[in-house]
PDB file of all heavy atoms in Angstrom:
ATOM      1  N   ARG B 820     138.542  92.262  94.669  1.00  0.00           N
ATOM      2  CA  ARG B 820     138.386  91.555  93.405  1.00  0.00           C
ATOM      3  C   ARG B 820     139.743  91.175  92.847  1.00  0.00           C
ATOM      4  O   ARG B 820     140.753  91.829  93.127  1.00  0.00           O
ATOM      5  CB  ARG B 820     137.612  92.421  92.413  1.00  0.00           C
ATOM      6  CG  ARG B 820     138.301  93.718  92.011  1.00  0.00           C
ATOM      7  CD  ARG B 820     137.338  94.639  91.247  1.00  0.00           C
ATOM      8  NE  ARG B 820     136.877  94.050  89.994  1.00  0.00           N
ATOM      9  CZ  ARG B 820     135.788  94.448  89.350  1.00  0.00           C
ATOM     10  NH1 ARG B 820     135.028  95.441  89.851  1.00  0.00           N
ATOM     11  NH2 ARG B 820     135.433  93.883  88.204  1.00  0.00           N
ATOM     12  N   ASP B 821     139.746  90.121  92.040  1.00  0.00           N
ATOM     13  CA  ASP B 821     140.924  89.690  91.305  1.00  0.00           C
ATOM     14  C   ASP B 821     140.507  89.669  89.840  1.00  0.00           C
ATOM     15  O   ASP B 821     139.846  88.720  89.393  1.00  0.00           O
ATOM     16  CB  ASP B 821     141.371  88.316  91.787  1.00  0.00           C
ATOM     17  CG  ASP B 821     142.660  87.854  91.122  1.00  0.00           C
ATOM     18  OD1 ASP B 821     142.965  88.339  90.010  1.00  0.00           O
ATOM     19  OD2 ASP B 821     143.356  87.011  91.698  1.00  0.00           O
ATOM     20  N   ASN B 822     140.858  90.697  89.117  1.00  0.00           N
ATOM     21  CA  ASN B 822     140.415  90.795  87.729  1.00  0.00           C
ATOM     22  C   ASN B 822     141.063  89.724  86.840  1.00  0.00           C
ATOM     23  O   ASN B 822     140.473  89.318  85.841  1.00  0.00           O
ATOM     24  CB  ASN B 822     140.685  92.196  87.181  1.00  0.00           C
ATOM     25  CG  ASN B 822     139.667  93.209  87.683  1.00  0.00           C
ATOM     26  OD1 ASN B 822     138.622  92.857  88.216  1.00  0.00           O
ATOM     27  ND2 ASN B 822     139.980  94.490  87.530  1.00  0.00           N
ATOM     28  N   ALA B 823     142.233  89.267  87.209  1.00  0.00           N
ATOM     29  CA  ALA B 823     142.887  88.208  86.432  1.00  0.00           C
ATOM     30  C   ALA B 823     142.098  86.898  86.529  1.00  0.00           C
ATOM     31  O   ALA B 823     142.119  86.079  85.613  1.00  0.00           O
ATOM     32  CB  ALA B 823     144.302  88.007  86.925  1.00  0.00           C
ATOM     33  N   LYS B 824     141.419  86.724  87.661  1.00  0.00           N
ATOM     34  CA  LYS B 824     140.631  85.503  87.876  1.00  0.00           C
ATOM     35  C   LYS B 824     139.130  85.741  87.682  1.00  0.00           C
ATOM     36  O   LYS B 824     138.335  84.817  87.890  1.00  0.00           O
ATOM     37  CB  LYS B 824     140.877  84.962  89.289  1.00  0.00           C
ATOM     38  CG  LYS B 824     142.297  84.494  89.532  1.00  0.00           C
ATOM     39  CD  LYS B 824     142.439  83.922  90.942  1.00  0.00           C
ATOM     40  CE  LYS B 824     143.852  83.387  91.164  1.00  0.00           C
ATOM     41  NZ  LYS B 824     144.021  82.852  92.546  1.00  0.00           N
ATOM     42  N   SER B 825     138.737  86.960  87.346  1.00  0.00           N
ATOM     43  CA  SER B 825     137.318  87.314  87.198  1.00  0.00           C
ATOM     44  C   SER B 825     136.516  86.891  88.436  1.00  0.00           C
ATOM     45  O   SER B 825     135.449  86.252  88.335  1.00  0.00           O
ATOM     46  CB  SER B 825     136.718  86.674  85.945  1.00  0.00           C
ATOM     47  OG  SER B 825     137.315  87.187  84.789  1.00  0.00           O
ATOM     48  N   THR B 826     137.038  87.228  89.579  1.00  0.00           N
ATOM     49  CA  THR B 826     136.423  86.807  90.835  1.00  0.00           C
ATOM     50  C   THR B 826     136.280  87.972  91.800  1.00  0.00           C
ATOM     51  O   THR B 826     137.195  88.785  91.949  1.00  0.00           O
ATOM     52  CB  THR B 826     137.238  85.680  91.492  1.00  0.00           C
ATOM     53  OG1 THR B 826     137.323  84.579  90.583  1.00  0.00           O
ATOM     54  CG2 THR B 826     136.564  85.202  92.771  1.00  0.00           C
ATOM     55  N   LEU B 827     135.121  88.022  92.432  1.00  0.00           N
ATOM     56  CA  LEU B 827     134.791  89.022  93.446  1.00  0.00           C
ATOM     57  C   LEU B 827     134.793  88.327  94.800  1.00  0.00           C
ATOM     58  O   LEU B 827     134.406  87.155  94.906  1.00  0.00           O
ATOM     59  CB  LEU B 827     133.400  89.597  93.154  1.00  0.00           C
ATOM     60  CG  LEU B 827     132.823  90.615  94.135  1.00  0.00           C
ATOM     61  CD1 LEU B 827     133.561  91.946  94.013  1.00  0.00           C
ATOM     62  CD2 LEU B 827     131.325  90.809  93.862  1.00  0.00           C
ATOM     63  N   TYR B 828     135.189  89.057  95.834  1.00  0.00           N
ATOM     64  CA  TYR B 828     135.260  88.483  97.170  1.00  0.00           C
ATOM     65  C   TYR B 828     134.554  89.380  98.182  1.00  0.00           C
ATOM     66  O   TYR B 828     134.428  90.578  97.989  1.00  0.00           O
ATOM     67  CB  TYR B 828     136.717  88.317  97.617  1.00  0.00           C
ATOM     68  CG  TYR B 828     137.553  87.465  96.716  1.00  0.00           C
ATOM     69  CD1 TYR B 828     138.419  88.048  95.788  1.00  0.00           C
ATOM     70  CD2 TYR B 828     137.479  86.071  96.768  1.00  0.00           C
ATOM     71  CE1 TYR B 828     139.203  87.271  94.948  1.00  0.00           C
ATOM     72  CE2 TYR B 828     138.255  85.284  95.925  1.00  0.00           C
ATOM     73  CZ  TYR B 828     139.113  85.890  95.022  1.00  0.00           C
ATOM     74  OH  TYR B 828     139.871  85.108  94.190  1.00  0.00           O
ATOM     75  N   LEU B 829     134.136  88.746  99.285  1.00  0.00           N
ATOM     76  CA  LEU B 829     133.669  89.492 100.443  1.00  0.00           C
ATOM     77  C   LEU B 829     134.235  88.805 101.692  1.00  0.00           C
ATOM     78  O   LEU B 829     133.831  87.685 102.013  1.00  0.00           O
ATOM     79  CB  LEU B 829     132.145  89.551 100.517  1.00  0.00           C
ATOM     80  CG  LEU B 829     131.594  90.422 101.656  1.00  0.00           C
ATOM     81  CD1 LEU B 829     131.933  91.906 101.419  1.00  0.00           C
ATOM     82  CD2 LEU B 829     130.073  90.251 101.800  1.00  0.00           C
ATOM     83  N   GLN B 830     135.185  89.470 102.327  1.00  0.00           N
ATOM     84  CA  GLN B 830     135.738  88.975 103.581  1.00  0.00           C
ATOM     85  C   GLN B 830     134.892  89.544 104.709  1.00  0.00           C
ATOM     86  O   GLN B 830     134.773  90.775 104.829  1.00  0.00           O
ATOM     87  CB  GLN B 830     137.194  89.425 103.732  1.00  0.00           C
ATOM     88  CG  GLN B 830     137.825  89.062 105.066  1.00  0.00           C
ATOM     89  CD  GLN B 830     138.023  87.574 105.239  1.00  0.00           C
ATOM     90  OE1 GLN B 830     138.462  86.881 104.328  1.00  0.00           O
ATOM     91  NE2 GLN B 830     137.714  87.068 106.420  1.00  0.00           N
ATOM     92  N   MET B 831     134.319  88.664 105.499  1.00  0.00           N
ATOM     93  CA  MET B 831     133.420  89.089 106.573  1.00  0.00           C
ATOM     94  C   MET B 831     134.039  88.700 107.907  1.00  0.00           C
ATOM     95  O   MET B 831     134.216  87.497 108.186  1.00  0.00           O
ATOM     96  CB  MET B 831     132.050  88.427 106.399  1.00  0.00           C
ATOM     97  CG  MET B 831     131.399  88.725 105.063  1.00  0.00           C
ATOM     98  SD  MET B 831     129.741  88.052 104.907  1.00  0.00           S
ATOM     99  CE  MET B 831     130.108  86.315 104.899  1.00  0.00           C
ATOM    100  N   ASP B 832     134.414  89.680 108.702  1.00  0.00           N
ATOM    101  CA  ASP B 832     135.011  89.455 110.022  1.00  0.00           C
ATOM    102  C   ASP B 832     134.046  89.893 111.119  1.00  0.00           C
ATOM    103  O   ASP B 832     133.094  90.628 110.867  1.00  0.00           O
ATOM    104  CB  ASP B 832     136.318  90.237 110.135  1.00  0.00           C
ATOM    105  CG  ASP B 832     137.354  89.802 109.121  1.00  0.00           C
ATOM    106  OD1 ASP B 832     137.412  88.592 108.818  1.00  0.00           O
ATOM    107  OD2 ASP B 832     138.106  90.661 108.623  1.00  0.00           O
ATOM    108  N   SER B 833     134.331  89.437 112.339  1.00  0.00           N
ATOM    109  CA  SER B 833     133.517  89.815 113.505  1.00  0.00           C
ATOM    110  C   SER B 833     132.032  89.672 113.205  1.00  0.00           C
ATOM    111  O   SER B 833     131.231  90.590 113.442  1.00  0.00           O
ATOM    112  CB  SER B 833     133.834  91.263 113.915  1.00  0.00           C
ATOM    113  OG  SER B 833     135.198  91.419 114.199  1.00  0.00           O
ATOM    114  N   LEU B 834     131.668  88.520 112.700  1.00  0.00           N
ATOM    115  CA  LEU B 834     130.292  88.310 112.268  1.00  0.00           C
ATOM    116  C   LEU B 834     129.318  88.338 113.441  1.00  0.00           C
ATOM    117  O   LEU B 834     129.633  87.926 114.565  1.00  0.00           O
ATOM    118  CB  LEU B 834     130.178  86.987 111.513  1.00  0.00           C
ATOM    119  CG  LEU B 834     130.646  87.077 110.059  1.00  0.00           C
ATOM    120  CD1 LEU B 834     130.979  85.712 109.494  1.00  0.00           C
ATOM    121  CD2 LEU B 834     129.601  87.784 109.200  1.00  0.00           C
ATOM    122  N   ARG B 835     128.139  88.868 113.161  1.00  0.00           N
ATOM    123  CA  ARG B 835     127.074  89.013 114.158  1.00  0.00           C
ATOM    124  C   ARG B 835     125.843  88.245 113.694  1.00  0.00           C
ATOM    125  O   ARG B 835     125.681  87.991 112.493  1.00  0.00           O
ATOM    126  CB  ARG B 835     126.706  90.484 114.316  1.00  0.00           C
ATOM    127  CG  ARG B 835     127.862  91.403 114.646  1.00  0.00           C
ATOM    128  CD  ARG B 835     127.471  92.856 114.467  1.00  0.00           C
ATOM    129  NE  ARG B 835     128.568  93.772 114.780  1.00  0.00           N
ATOM    130  CZ  ARG B 835     128.552  95.075 114.486  1.00  0.00           C
ATOM    131  NH1 ARG B 835     127.487  95.610 113.882  1.00  0.00           N
ATOM    132  NH2 ARG B 835     129.578  95.836 114.809  1.00  0.00           N
TER     133      ARG B 835
END
Side-chain angles (χ1 to χ4, degrees):
Chain B
R820 64 191 297 160
D821 184 336
N822 283 346
K824 295 182 177 179
S825 295
T826 302
L827 177 72
Y828 302 100
L829 185 67
Q830 175 68 44
M831 302 184 293
D832 298 324
S833 302
L834 280 160
R835 305 167 180 168

